């Protein structure tokens, strides 16, 4: 029966041991002496002659005429009643009753298979089976699984072992599938999801999940009969369907008889499995039947009857009175996805019931507003709502699924096959496009694009398989890019200044096209179709031509235009986009207008060069116009010299023409730029005392760097060429490059962050493997990375990779003598990288062996992890698992212990680990005291003014390492005793030390110095004198002779903050005039926005910039490096340490002086946000204002208008009004939350005529709330380097505002939650002229409904809005209708709260629970249960749908707020999510019970991977269930257990989901630990509820899951 539907899917062998017996045992049974006698007895009673015995069934024919003839020549069989006595008489002849039972079972099954189509014989077999089982001669628990296994084998065609299901071949892996699974899922033959193991969105069609399971081997030796069905000739195949129907019919009757007895759970499981499989495959046709003939699939009488019997068996199994099998098994079965449903009421009835129950489970799984949950790109993190259950996919390298499609049971699904199956125009398609459009507007990290995109099929190699993690098909990408193009055209036509938007879009477009993610032909078709079918006037400018000109030199585009069969048609479409501006005003010419005027001719020239067959279609006028470019170039070069242009003095027209040149002739343009840098010529010079007289170094003379304005208009193709050429000169050239050249190179990378980014270490070593060993190259590269490209690497998500590369350099040179400059620069870069990482990271790529970090970096790493965990939480489950071994790895090589004051602010995860560490400082001092005499003696010889210079080498070569660590301590002791020091010798020795030894000297000297001060204090010396002397001595080391690096000394001192004098020394050093002078000089000679500084660069002298210690033998000139710049990562850490020690006034003083300096910190915005979050609740208002001043005015931070007033008011401790918070959320809606598409379901205009914001409306183009409008639309990356994008800037600014308020978190959260609870009524009332109209006062039609239409809700809204003072134009400022805006405000509020520290979360849970419990109708115990249940269902409607008829409820809004909040929380912070349920307890009604489950249900996919948290949450849900349905529950009135069938189903689903670790499959098994937990908590419930959950236990005698679990049942019976 392997008809046109393909192979059937194997059944799960959840069968008893007797069904699959070893081959040897089979042979024993077959040769057992009792077998012929038992077979003869059955033959006699069946009325069969000897030729038709079971041992030789092959001779029996199905020819009806022969049956009738042979029947005349036969004696009548004995009466049935005699059978049992004859059998018992026969039984006495064989002593081994167990073997006899097995033989009897085998013979009986063979006759069932043989005689099922013969009615009288079937009746006898049923009678015999009943009698034998009733007398104990057969056991139902052995017979039924064996019978079902045999029937499965009998169905299979010859050579095929198991029966199979509709829908394609089953993978070999499924052969071991599900001994435990009592149900399975069949696949859909049209579905491409064979690899997904999941089911499609309920809003789409049934996209089902194929899961396979094998059957037991066919017992060929026992059942020779089976050959009859399998080897029937092709002509007789048509009768085979009827044969199978009769076999099913008899089997079902036998099973129904068996079900009258008490069977074991394993038997119930296998029976259920087979029944569902038979029904799913009811329409399988035998091979050879004409499939086109619908008559062949009509439902015949025997089919009809066996199907009803199958249904009877299933209903009995899932009957809740006995609960032999949980109804949930039907919910996860494939019965609901029958494609060819017969016209049968009974079958349709069960399918409808399954759908009803499944939809209820799905509701518990899905977040409210599930379709709105798109990534906002407001944070750097990619929080996935699920994890893959696909074997072999590493979670560490997981492709990110930004949106997930809900399966039929609500689980999030993703994958390439799934994405390709999403139909256009559906809700899932719209949500995908909403996400992509938002990404194209907000330019998220290229790392995001790499994780979600696919290479278009036309560019993919045939060997590539589908990508499991992808969620966007190339078709979706092409559609979204075309949409964005049209959107920008409309904006351009509206005369909005959006040149910057086009530039950003071109960068992403180039990146996507070069990556092969957009099918070029398809994209041109889409765009041409939009232009042709849309508004004919939309194409008024040449921007589309300019956009296509950017990508025309990409290889795949050139190949398409030169060799594709559709090249002529495509070229015509490209040319159709040409739109010359005939009305150019000669008095108002901008470079953009020049470029757009000439770009058509430039593109035409390019296409002309591709293929001769295309040339005839080109516009000759454009070719002529191209000559003007050539003429201009000739005149320009003639006037200014060979291929050289004065780029500092270009007028508007010349700049525009050069931009055109970059598209037309990239190489000459590139040469012109390179000539500009060499125009000043090169000069040989001898630099400083570190070079020998005969040594010469060539350095390029300085010129001006190219401006960002000029670079922005160049073609990306030229930028690529230029970047390559500059790298050749800068890193591989012979001369030292000019600063202007390096600055220009940096600007190129910043201006096109998507197209030009390259990981430098990898790229440069590929071009020249030995490049980093070349003198100066490593230094220059590290300077560029440390002082220019740090934010760019973070934006790309490459900071960790860069950290590993730099760590390799550090580990190679930390023990190398004299390598101080390179080492300290690499260490400083590593510090900046570690502190820039806003997520968990490994210090090595593997968690093995000690770290390669220095002691300083180990300490910085702990601080960075503490800040990240406390301010942002740990994002992923595996990060939480790695934390402990990571800390052990770091601390294995670090001797440091943190002070109590520092530990007090550490997050508990780190604090608990570090608490028990022993302070090694005492040992250090003890070792010093033992070595002090020797060290002082050596220092006297080495450092006395009359010491021999030769002694330096003697000391270096012969002193012990442990003594060398005390050199600086010894020198300090000598200076403290007023002895003069030979600074020359000391400087020489320290230079000859390895960097590691110098670090050890600093840390040791600090310990000795502080210990010495304590000793002197005990001797009665005044502290002020001791500190003054210490500062003088330290100044000797740092400033007078520049012997030690200042940054490491400061870090060493703040790490000893438990000493009362350490921080006082730090402050004294920071306030020294030498340092303050250096800082002022640094700030005056540089600009924080270095990309805007176009002056002639001045290079600092090496010794002045870096001091004697670092510049000692080095001769390579510095570019951006400076001693002051090395303090940029250190000053913020000093501020942290001062606040920890309650020295907030001093912190204020330090910030007051250093705020100008901190403007140069590449990540100062992150510093401000993190320090406010880290110390939330512990900072005085004055210090908060000082910290905010670090942001300065240059960052254009988009604070809301009223924030400054709120912060500066005398009553700053009073909570701001609701309008303040509403405006804050509106800013997020307009700038962060993805705009709703024009096809949104809630796109109806509201009563005021506010039409919905269409997909091309521009949130930032209109006047924005919070003063965050941006005149030129989007900001380029270089304007938002920290935090990385404008969306992140707006969101983080809102978080900073909240964290800066002086009011308690409880008041802030209460204001936000109150605003959201009544958001729709508030907005409607605030909307001008609306009052309470718009449906708010209407009756909802459900008299008991708690909706916004009720009087109570209206009153609450009135009370809320009357006090809110929200301005009348509030809604219109958003561009949305009231209905749309209310939903987006909920999203924005949840998102904002998720960015704040855990103190806010606790308040949210408390306030949310209070609002829910305060609902009057919910607490009304007089209402009937059904009425309350209906009301809760109504209250928990998706706010998007509820908002359309103005019936959103406070409860619905609060639950939606919690879901939005949960979906943006990192994994670690989810651990407190159950607090909201604790606040709701004790739950005293089913209504409240449903709300509790509705709140936590959607968290299931994320909790399933965190076992302790899942178990904690599951136990809580059972406890909540116990509040209402517990044995001692006081809740009234009494509610039947059947009323909560959906909650029962959901609990089963939760257990299965966690067991699978992802979407539930047929092979899913619950984990033993979870069953154990369930078994314990179920015992506290009422008996009737316990009964429905009886299978969630570890007892194989009562649970089908336990009975079929390999770990629980060693010998299944």
């Amino acid at each position: 029966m392997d008809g046109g539907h393909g192979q059937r899917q194997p059944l799960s062998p959840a069968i008893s041991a007797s069904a699959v017996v070893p081959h040897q045992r089979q042979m024993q049974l077959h040769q057992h002496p009792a077998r012929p006698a038992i077979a003869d007895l059955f033959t006699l009673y069946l009325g069969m002659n000897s030729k038709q015995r079971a041992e030789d069934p092959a001779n029996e024919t199905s020819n009806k005429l022969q049956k009738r003839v042979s029947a005349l020549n036969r004696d009548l069989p004995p009466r049935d009643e005699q059978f049992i006595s004859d059998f018992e008489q026969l039984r006495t002849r064989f002593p081994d009753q167990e073997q006899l039972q097995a033989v009897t079972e085998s013979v009986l099954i063979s006759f069932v298979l043989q005689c099922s189509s013969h009615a009288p014989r079937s009746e006898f077999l049923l009678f015999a089976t009943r009698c034998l089982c009733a007398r104990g001669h057969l056991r139902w628990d052995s017979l039924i699984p064996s019978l079902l296994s045999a029937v499965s084998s009998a169905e299979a065609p010859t050579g095929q072992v198991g029966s199979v299901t509709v829908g394609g071949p089953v993978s070999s892996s499924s052969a071991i599938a599900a001994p435990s699974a009592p149900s399975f899922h069949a696949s859909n033959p049209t579905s491409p999801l064979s690899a997904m193991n999941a089911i499609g969105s309920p809003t789409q069609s049934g996209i089902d999940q194929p899961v396979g399971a094998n059957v037991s081997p066919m017992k060929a030796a026992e059942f020779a009969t089976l050959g009859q069905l399998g080897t029937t000739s092709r002509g007789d195949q048509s009768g085979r369907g009827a044969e199978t129907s009769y076999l099913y019919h008899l089997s079902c009757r036998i099973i129904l008889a068996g079900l009258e007895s008490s069977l074991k759970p394993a038997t119930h499981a296998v029976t259920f499995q087979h029944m569902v499989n038979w029904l799913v495959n009811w329409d399988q046709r035998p091979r050879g039947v004409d499939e086109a003939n619908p008559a062949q699939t009509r439902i015949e009488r025997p089919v009809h009857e066996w199907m009803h019997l199958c249904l009877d068996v299933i209903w009995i199994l899932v009957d809740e009175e006995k609960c032999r099998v949980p109804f949930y098994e039907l919910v996860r079965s494939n019965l609901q996805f029958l494609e060819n449903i017969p016209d049968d009421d009974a079958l349709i009835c069960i399918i409808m019931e399954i759908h009803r129950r499944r939809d209820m489970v799905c509701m518990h799984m899905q977040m409210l507003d599930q379709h709105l949950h798109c990534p906002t790109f407001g944070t750097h993190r990619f929080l996935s709502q699920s994890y893959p259950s696909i074997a072999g996919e590493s979670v560490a390298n997981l492709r990110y699924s930004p949106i997930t499609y809900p399966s039929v049971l609500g689980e999030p699904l993703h994958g390439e096959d799934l994405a390709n199956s999403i139909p256009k125009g559906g809700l899932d398609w719209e949500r995908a496009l909403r996400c992509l459009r938002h990404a194209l507007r907000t330019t998220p990290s290229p790392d995001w694009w790499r994780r979600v995109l696919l290479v278009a099929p036309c560019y993919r190699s045939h060997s590539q398989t589908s990508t499991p993690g992808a969620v966007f098909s190339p078709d979706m990408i092409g559609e979204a890019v075309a949409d964005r193009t049209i959107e920008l055209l409309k904006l351009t036509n509206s005369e909005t200044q959006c040149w910057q938007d086009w530039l950003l879009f071109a960068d992403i477009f180039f990146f996507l096209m070069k990556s092969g993610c957009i099918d070029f032909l398809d994209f041109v078709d889409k765009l041409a179709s939009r232009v042709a079918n849309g508004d004919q006037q939309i194409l008024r400018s040449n921007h589309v031509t300019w956009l296509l000109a950017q990508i025309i030199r990409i290889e795949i585009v050139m190949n398409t235009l030169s060799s594709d069969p559709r090249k002529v048609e495509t070229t015509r479409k490209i040319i159709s986009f040409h739109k010359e501006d005939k009305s150019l005003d000669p008095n108002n010419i901008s470079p953009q207008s020049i470029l757009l005027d000439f770009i058509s001719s430039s593109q035409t020239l390019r296409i002309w060069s591709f293929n001769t067959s295309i040339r005839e279609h080109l516009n000759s006028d454009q070719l002529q116009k191209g000559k003007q470019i050539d003429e201009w170039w000739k005149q320009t070069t003639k006037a200014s010299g060979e291929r050289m242009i004065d780029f500092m003095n270009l007028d508007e027209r010349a700049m525009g023409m050069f931009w055109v040149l970059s598209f037309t002739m990239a190489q000459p343009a590139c040469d012109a730029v390179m000539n500009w840098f060499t125009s000043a010529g090169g000069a040989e010079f001898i630099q400083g005392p570190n070079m020998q007289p005969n040594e010469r170094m060539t350095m390029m003379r300085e010129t001006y760097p190219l401006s960002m304005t000029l670079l922005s208009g160049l073609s990306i193709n030229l930028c690529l060429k230029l970047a390559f050429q500059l790298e050749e000169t800068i890193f591989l050239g012979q001369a030292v490059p000019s600063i202007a050249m390096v600055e220009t190179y940096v600007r190129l990378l910043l201006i096109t962050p998507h197209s030009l980014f390259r990981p430098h270490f990898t790229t440069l070593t590929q071009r020249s493997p030995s490049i980093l060993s070349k003198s100066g190259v490593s230094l220059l590269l590290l300077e560029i990375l440390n002082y220019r490209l740090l934010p760019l690497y973070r934006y790309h998500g490459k900071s960790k990779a860069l950290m590993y590369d730099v760590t390799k350099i550090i580990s190679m040179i930390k023990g190398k003598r004299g390598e101080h400059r390179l080492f300290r620069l690499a260490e400083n870069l590593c510090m900046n990288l570690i502190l820039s990482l806003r997520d968990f990271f490994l210090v090595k790529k593997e968690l093995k062996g000690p770290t390669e970090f220095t002691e300083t970096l180990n300490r910085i790493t702990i601080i960075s992890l503490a800040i990240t965990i406390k301010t942002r939480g740990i994002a992923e489950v595996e990060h939480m698992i790695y934390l402990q071994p990571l800390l052990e790895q770091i601390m294995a090589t670090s001797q440091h212990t943190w002070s109590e004051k520092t530990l007090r602010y550490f997050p508990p995860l780190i604090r608990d680990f570090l608490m028990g560490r022993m302070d090694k400082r005492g040992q250090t001092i003890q070792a010093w005291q033992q070595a002090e005499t020797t060290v002082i003696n050596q220092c006297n010889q080495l450092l006395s003014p009359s010491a021999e210079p030769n002694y330096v080498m003697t000391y270096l070569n012969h002193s012990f390492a442990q003594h060398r660590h005390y050199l600086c301590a010894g020198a300090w002791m000598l200076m403290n005793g007023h002895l003069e020091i030979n600074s020359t010798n000391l400087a020489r020795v320290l230079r000859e030390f390895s960097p590691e030894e110098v670090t050890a000297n600093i840390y040791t000297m600090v310990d000795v110095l502080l210990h010495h001060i304590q000793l002197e204090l005990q001797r009665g010396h005044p502290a002020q004198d001791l500190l003054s002397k210490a500062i003088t001595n330290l100044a000797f080391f740092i400033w007078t002779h520049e012997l030690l690096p200042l940054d490491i000394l400061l870090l060493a001192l703040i790490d000893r903050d438990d000493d009362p004098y350490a921080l006082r020394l730090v402050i004294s050093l920071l306030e020294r005039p030498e340092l303050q002078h250096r800082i002022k000089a640094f700030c005056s000679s540089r600009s924080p926005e270095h990309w805007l500084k176009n002056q002639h660069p001045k290079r600092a002298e090496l010794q002045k910039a870096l001091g004697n210690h670092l510049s000692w033998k080095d001769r390579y000139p510095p570019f951006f490096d400076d001693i002051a710049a090395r303090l940029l990562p250190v000053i913020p850490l000093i501020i942290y340490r001062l606040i920890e020690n309650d020295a907030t006034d001093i912190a204020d003083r330090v910030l007051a002086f250093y705020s100008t300096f901190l403007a140069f910190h590449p990540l100062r915005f992150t510093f401000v946000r993190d320090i406010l979050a880290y110390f939330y609740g512990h900072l005085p208002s004055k210090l908060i204002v000082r910290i905010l001043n670090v942001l300065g005015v240059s960052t254009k931070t988009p604070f809301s208008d009223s924030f400054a007033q709120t912060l500066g008011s005398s009553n700053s401790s009073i909570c701001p009004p609701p309008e303040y918070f509403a405006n804050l959320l509106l800013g997020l809606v307009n700038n962060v939350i993805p705009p709703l598409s024009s096809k949104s379901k809630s796109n109806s205009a509201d009563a005021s005529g506010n039409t919905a914001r269409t997909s091309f409306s521009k949130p930032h183009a209109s006047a924005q709330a919070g003063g965050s409008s941006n005149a030129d639309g989007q900001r380029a990356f270089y304007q938002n380097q920290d935090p990385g994008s404008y969306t992140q800037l707006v969101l983080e600014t809102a978080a900073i505002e909240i964290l800066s308020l002086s009011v308690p978190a409880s008041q802030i959260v209460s204001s936000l939650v109150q605003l959201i609870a009544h958001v729709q009524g508030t907005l409607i009332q605030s909307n001008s002229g609306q009052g309470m109209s718009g449906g708010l006062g209407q009756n909802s039609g459900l008299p008991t409904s708690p909706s916004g239409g009720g009087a109570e809700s209206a009153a609450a809204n009135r009370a809320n809005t009357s006090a809110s003072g929200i301005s009348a134009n509030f809604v219109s400022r958003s561009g949305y209708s009231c209905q749309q805006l209310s939903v987006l405000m909920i999203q924005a509020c949840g998102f904002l709260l998720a960015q704040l520290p855990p103190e806010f979360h606790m308040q949210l849970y408390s306030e949310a629970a209070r609002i829910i419990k305060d609902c009057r109708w919910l607490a009304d115990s007089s209402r009937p249960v059904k009425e309350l249940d209906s009301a809760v269902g109504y209250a928990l409607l998706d706010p998007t749908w509820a908002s359309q008829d103005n019936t959103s409820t406070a409860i619905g809004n609060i639950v939606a707020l919690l879901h939005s909040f949960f979906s943006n929380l990192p994994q670690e912070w989810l651990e407190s999510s159950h607090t909201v349920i604790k606040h709701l307890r004790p739950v005293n009604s089913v209504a409240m019970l449903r709300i509790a489950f509705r709140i936590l249900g959607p968290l299931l996919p994320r909790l399933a991977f965190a076992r302790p948290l899942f178990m904690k949450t599951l136990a809580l849900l059972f406890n909540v269930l116990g509040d209402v349905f517990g044995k001692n529950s006081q809740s009234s009135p009494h509610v039947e257990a059947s009323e909560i069938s959906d909650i029962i189903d959901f609990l089963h689903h939760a257990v299965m989901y966690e067991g699978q670790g992802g979407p539930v499959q047929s092979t899913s098994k619950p984990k033993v630990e979870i069953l154990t937990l369930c078994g314990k908590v179920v015992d506290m419930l009422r008996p009737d509820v316990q009964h429905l959950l009886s299978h969630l236990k570890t007892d194989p005698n009562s649970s089908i899951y336990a009975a079929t679990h390999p770990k629980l049942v060693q010998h299944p019976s």
Side-chain angles (χ1 to χ4, degrees), residues 922-990:
Q923 296 178 9
T924 305
I925 297 301
Q926 199 175 356
W928 156 250
Q929 289 168 342
Q930 290 172 358
E932 184 175 6
T933 307
T934 309
V935 171
I936 294 296
N937 183 39
Q938 289 176 341
C939 287
N940 277 322
Q941 295 182 60
L942 177 68
L943 303 180
S944 66
S946 57
E948 287 290 327
N950 295 337
Y951 185 72
V952 169
M953 294 314 296
T954 307
Y955 175 80
L956 287 168
N957 294 329
H958 297 95
S959 58
F960 293 116
Q962 64 267 37
H963 292 155
R964 287 204 295 273
H965 286 179
Y966 295 113
L967 174 63
C968 287
W972 190 86
M973 292 296 285
L974 291 179
M975 291 164 64
N976 210 47
H978 301 288
L979 296 177
E980 191 181 342
I981 293 291
N982 186 330
S983 59
T984 308
N985 278 6
L986 182 56
R988 279 191 62 197
V989 172
L990 288 173

Side-chain angles (χ1 to χ4, degrees), residues 455-474:
V455 175
C458 56
Y459 307 129
R460 199 184 297 190
S461 65
H462 296 298
S463 60
Q464 270 183 291
T465 56
S466 66
T467 310
V471 283
F472 300 122
S473 63

Side-chain angles (χ1 to χ4, degrees), residues 1040-1252:
T1040 312
H1041 298 289
E1042 297 173 337
L1043 302 173
L1044 295 173
L1046 173 62
D1047 53 339
I1048 307 300
L1049 176 65
L1050 289 172
L1051 289 171
L1053 281 166
I1054 64 170
D1055 279 342
R1056 291 301 183 211
D1057 62 316
D1058 48 356
D1059 186 291
Y1061 299 102
L1063 289 178
R1064 292 176 66 178
L1065 288 172
V1066 170
I1067 300 308
S1068 299
L1069 283 172
L1070 291 180
E1071 292 177 347
R1072 288 282 294 191
E1074 297 97 331
L1075 177 57
Q1076 299 208 351
H1077 175 73
R1078 288 297 295 255
I1079 296 293
K1080 285 178 181 174
F1082 176 85
C1083 294
S1084 62
S1085 63
R1086 290 166 168 79
S1087 167
E1089 295 179 322
H1090 54 79
W1091 56 90
L1092 296 179
K1093 189 175 181 184
N1094 297 321
Q1095 286 84 16
H1096 203 285
K1098 292 180 181 175
R1099 194 189 298 273
E1101 289 181 29
L1102 176 60
Q1103 194 275 332
K1104 283 185 180 177
L1106 297 176
N1108 291 326
H1109 178 67
L1110 295 181
S1111 65
W1112 170 44
K1113 62 177 182 180
D1114 226 305
R1115 58 185 66 88
Y1116 197 77
F1119 286 76
F1120 316 115
D1121 206 1
D1122 190 275
I1123 287 179
R1126 300 286 179 90
L1127 295 181
L1128 285 170
V1130 178
I1131 300 292
L1133 295 177
I1134 294 173
I1135 303 297
Y1136 270 82
R1137 207 50 52 86
L1138 289 170
I1139 296 170
E1140 287 162 5
N1141 284 270
D1142 304 316
T1144 52
D1145 288 341
I1146 299 173
D1148 184 278
R1149 202 168 79 218
V1150 172
L1151 279 172
F1153 179 80
Y1154 284 95
S1155 57
T1156 309
F1157 174 65
L1158 286 173
F1160 289 86
H1161 196 296
L1163 308 173
R1164 67 184 176 282
F1165 188 89
T1166 300
F1167 159 66
V1168 169
R1169 184 249 185 234
D1170 285 352
I1171 198 167
L1172 290 173
Y1174 192 81
F1175 295 110
Y1176 181 73
H1178 299 276
L1179 297 175
S1181 301
K1182 182 185 173 190
L1183 184 57
I1184 289 174
V1185 173
R1186 183 69 72 190
I1187 290 170
L1188 291 174
N1189 285 338
V1190 170
L1191 295 176
V1193 291
S1194 61
T1195 56
K1196 305 177 182 67
T1197 310
F1199 287 119
S1200 56
D1201 292 333
S1202 55
F1203 176 61
Q1205 301 163 13
T1206 305
L1207 207 60
S1209 71
S1210 55
N1211 294 327
S1212 60
S1213 58
I1214 297 176
C1215 191
E1219 185 172 20
Y1220 168 78
F1221 295 104
N1223 281 326
L1224 207 57
L1225 296 182
L1226 183 59
L1228 298 183
V1229 168
N1230 283 334
N1231 295 291
V1232 180
I1233 304 295
L1236 290 178
S1237 160
S1238 57
K1239 294 181 183 176
S1240 168
K1241 297 274 185 184
S1242 55
N1243 187 27
S1244 56
D1246 68 4
S1248 69
N1250 277 335
T1251 53

Side-chain angles (χ1 to χ4, degrees), residues 440-458:
L440 290 169
R441 288 188 195 101
T442 56
T443 60
S445 160
D447 188 37
W448 181 82
W449 289 108
R450 289 188 194 97
R451 288 168 183 253
V452 301
L453 291 185
L454 294 163
V455 175
C458 56

Side-chain angles (χ1 to χ4, degrees), residues 381-383 387 395-396 451 800 838-842 847 865 868-869 873-887 909 1466-1468:
R381 275 183 173 160
F382 307 141
L383 285 179
Y387 293 91
V395 177
R451 288 168 183 253
K800 290 179 194 174
R838 295 168 294 177
D839 257 321
F840 179 92
F841 59 94
L842 300 180
L847 275 170
L865 285 171
T868 294
I869 293 171
I874 301 176
E876 306 292 352
V877 178
E878 68 270 18
H879 293 170
M880 298 177 71
I881 297 168
Y882 292 154
L883 181 62
Q884 181 83 8
L886 171 67
L887 292 173
L909 285 172
Q1467 188 73 35
E1468 182 205 351

Side-chain angles (χ1 to χ4, degrees), residues 92-262:
T92 58
R93 291 160 42 190
F94 303 99
D96 189 342
Q97 296 302 309
E98 191 177 331
Q99 279 209 336
L100 183 69
Q101 185 174 302
V103 171
T104 306
E105 180 186 292
S106 168
V107 171
L108 174 62
I109 291 172
S110 70
F111 279 108
V112 169
L113 294 172
Q114 192 175 337
C115 304
S116 60
S117 58
H118 191 291
R121 292 175 184 168
S122 295
E123 290 298 330
F124 169 74
L125 289 171
L126 180 60
F127 166 79
T129 305
R130 280 179 178 276
C131 292
L132 290 170
C133 288
R135 296 294 185 94
H137 305 321
L138 286 179
R139 287 183 297 118
W140 286 114
D141 287 309
S142 172
L143 174 66
I144 290 176
S146 299
L147 171 63
L148 290 170
S149 177
V151 170
S152 299
S153 301
E155 293 182 78
T158 311
Q160 192 173 322
V161 175
S163 74
V164 283
T165 301
V166 183
V170 179
S171 65
S172 58
S173 64
S174 65
I176 55 163
S180 74
S183 71
F184 71 100
H185 300 270
S187 68
N188 173 345
T190 62
S191 168
L193 302 185
S194 57
M196 275 306 300
N197 296 322
I199 303 172
S201 168
T203 59
Q204 311 297 338
S205 59
I207 302 171
D208 358 89
Q209 75 193 58
V211 183
N214 204 358
V215 300
S216 58
M218 185 175 105
K219 297 191 228 177
E222 292 186 46
F223 308 135
T225 324
L226 308 191
Q228 178 184 350
L229 291 176
T231 57
T232 312
S233 67
R234 190 179 179 91
D236 292 334
Q237 287 278 357
S238 58
R240 211 178 121 190
E243 293 279 2
T244 304
S245 299
Y246 288 123
L247 181 54
Y248 286 171
H249 189 272
L250 177 55
S251 301
C252 286
R253 292 182 67 197
I254 291 172
I255 290 166
L256 285 168
L259 287 172
E260 294 170 10
S261 308
S262 181

Side-chain angles (χ1 to χ4, degrees), residues 320 333 384 414 526 697 947 1106 1139 1167 1236 1305-1306 1351 1491 1584:
E320 290 185 347
S333 77
S384 182
H414 56 263
K526 278 189 170 80
M697 182 180 286
L1106 297 176
I1139 296 170
F1167 159 66
L1236 290 178
S1306 57
I1491 291 171
D1584 57 337

